[in-house]
Amino acid sequence: EIATSGKLVAGQTYYLFASEIELYPTDSEDKAWDGGDSGPDVYYNLYWQGNVVFESDTKNDSLIADWSGLGVELEWGDLLGKKISPDKTIKAARVRADVGESVIIDVVDVDVLDNDEVGRMEIPLDDLRIGKTKFAFKKSQGKAVKRIVMRALPKNSSVSDLINLMK
């Protein structure tokens, strides 16, 4: 039986991704993001056990960047009743939950000349819940991430459970 609510279960594998990352209106030094009036071009890397296990697409000119966790070519409804492997369509890291283990979200602003580090946030797996978990952060030196919404989906869930957990 796969748990579809509550805390992550040690030893289980989960799809894990940030469904939303909100940045402060200015960077960590209180300067405009891209030297003008356009917002940052945001992407993130997710690290587990010291390795990059997922890199998101870039969201242009966004203070609130969001990702669906699903390949562009499909809608959630398309998975119902079809023989499509969630493994091939879900855009997320695959992480095994262990007590005391954490992941790192490294948020980056893509710039023409040089990418800017927006913030490197540690997320303890013990703090995550199946489905959606929200984290808020204070602005500090080198960190301008306001909020991250993480999604954790049990890898062996049924397609209908995955769809429900994504809502």
Side-chain angles (χ1 to χ4, degrees):
E1 181 68 19
I2 304 290
T4 56
S5 65
K7 290 191 167 283
L8 304 192
V9 178
Q12 297 264 343
T13 301
Y14 294 88
Y15 295 113
L16 187 62
F17 70 99
S19 59
E20 195 170 279
I21 295 177
E22 181 178 355
L23 306 185
Y24 283 95
T26 54
D27 69 15
S28 64
E29 296 167 357
D30 291 327
K31 294 188 178 111
W33 278 108
D34 286 338
D37 58 1
S38 65
D41 302 327
V42 183
Y43 81 89
Y44 72 92
N45 286 321
L46 194 143
Y47 289 80
W48 179 56
Q49 298 184 344
N51 295 279
V52 173
V53 291
F54 181 74
E55 183 177 317
S56 76
D57 295 333
T58 300
K59 300 295 178 168
N60 294 324
D61 299 330
S62 298
L63 286 176
I64 298 179
D66 60 339
W67 295 269
S68 80
L70 195 61
V72 211
E73 59 284 346
L74 288 172
E75 295 295 320
W76 280 105
D78 292 343
L79 288 177
L80 283 174
K82 297 206 175 157
K83 300 276 186 236
I84 299 169
S85 161
D87 234 18
K88 294 200 182 355
T89 56
I90 293 180
K91 292 178 143 187
R94 282 126 186 101
V95 172
R96 187 184 62 256
D98 282 317
V99 177
E101 193 65 63
S102 59
V103 293
I104 300 217
I105 304 266
D106 193 14
V107 183
V108 178
D109 171 22
V110 178
D111 287 327
V112 178
L113 296 174
D114 195 20
N115 293 347
D116 296 323
E117 185 77 28
V118 176
R120 195 175 179 98
M121 325 309 282
E122 185 170 350
I123 311 275
L125 295 180
D126 295 336
D127 291 353
L128 286 172
R129 301 189 67 75
I130 294 169
K132 184 165 50 171
T133 311
K134 297 175 185 171
F135 297 91
F137 304 97
K138 288 191 174 5
K139 191 187 233 188
S140 62
Q141 190 57 46
K143 290 187 179 170
V145 175
K146 188 174 196 174
R147 191 170 68 78
I148 295 179
V149 178
M150 294 297 297
R151 299 244 184 200
L153 312 169
K155 187 173 179 302
N156 297 325
S157 299
S158 70
V159 169
S160 59
D161 281 344
L162 286 174
I163 292 167
N164 287 330
L165 289 168
M166 291 305 290
K167 290 179 181 165

